[in-house]
Amino acid sequence: MNLNDIEEKWRDLYTEFGDRLPYGMECGVGWKPLIFAICYLMKPFPYAKLVQVKEKFGTLRAYTSNISFVDPESEEETLTTEEQDKQIDEFYISKGAIEFASAFVCETCGAYARRRRPDGHWISVVCYECVSKTEKEFVNEAVDKVDKNVANY
């Protein structure tokens, strides 16, 4: 899968859910099924918006707004029913479970993974195969930087 394929798949998400990502996507394509699951959970809420999706401390974070049955533009005071309140609670519990599950899904390829520090600093969720690639790329970049610095002396 090349970058164009990935961008096309993200475009499908934007198209299906409209203008719901004003702050964008800041995570790997491996978490796409988790993001779709969160979007699926949002469908019952007519005014829901997915504001931002990102990786934070090695796990998925999905920021939402208007998870309710009340029009945010409406000026009248409207209360939700007990059943609607229960549905809202279930949404947040399920969203939290999906975010927790992301700690075991490779952000790069979607395989089983665990949280690591492949570059020694940032926490990432990557599988064994992807962390090997990441470490090799990191080492190669470091060697290239050293070579350039040595060449400048």
Side-chain angles (χ1 to χ4, degrees), residues 116-124 138:
R116 307 169 192 266
R117 293 178 186 257
D119 64 358
H121 302 286
W122 299 106
I123 300 170
S124 300
F138 177 74

Side-chain angles (χ1 to χ4, degrees), residues 77-136:
E77 189 78 24
T78 310
L79 297 176
T80 56
T81 65
E82 187 176 335
E83 182 60 35
Q84 289 172 330
D85 285 344
K86 183 179 173 192
Q87 210 171 346
I88 291 167
D89 292 344
E90 287 172 354
F91 167 79
Y92 283 111
I93 291 167
S94 299
K95 181 172 107 34
I98 291 168
E99 290 173 338
F100 176 78
S102 70
F104 306 99
V105 177
C106 180
E107 187 180 352
T108 305
C109 72
Y112 172 77
R114 66 182 189 90
R115 292 181 353 161
R116 307 169 192 266
R117 293 178 186 257
D119 64 358
H121 302 286
W122 299 106
I123 300 170
S124 300
V125 182
V126 288
C127 66
Y128 180 76
E129 191 172 315
C130 290
V131 77
S132 298
K133 291 177 193 171
T134 305
E135 286 173 349
K136 288 175 192 169

Side-chain angles (χ1 to χ4, degrees), residues 31 55-61 102-103 107 115 123-125:
W31 284 348
E55 174 275 327
K56 187 170 184 177
F57 298 114
T59 57
L60 176 69
R61 294 290 191 277
S102 70
E107 187 180 352
R115 292 181 353 161
I123 300 170
S124 300
V125 182

Side-chain angles (χ1 to χ4, degrees), residues 34-49:
L34 301 175
I35 297 163
F36 275 125
I38 291 171
C39 291
Y40 179 79
L41 291 173
M42 293 172 65
K43 284 190 174 199
F45 305 101
Y47 308 105
K49 293 198 180 291

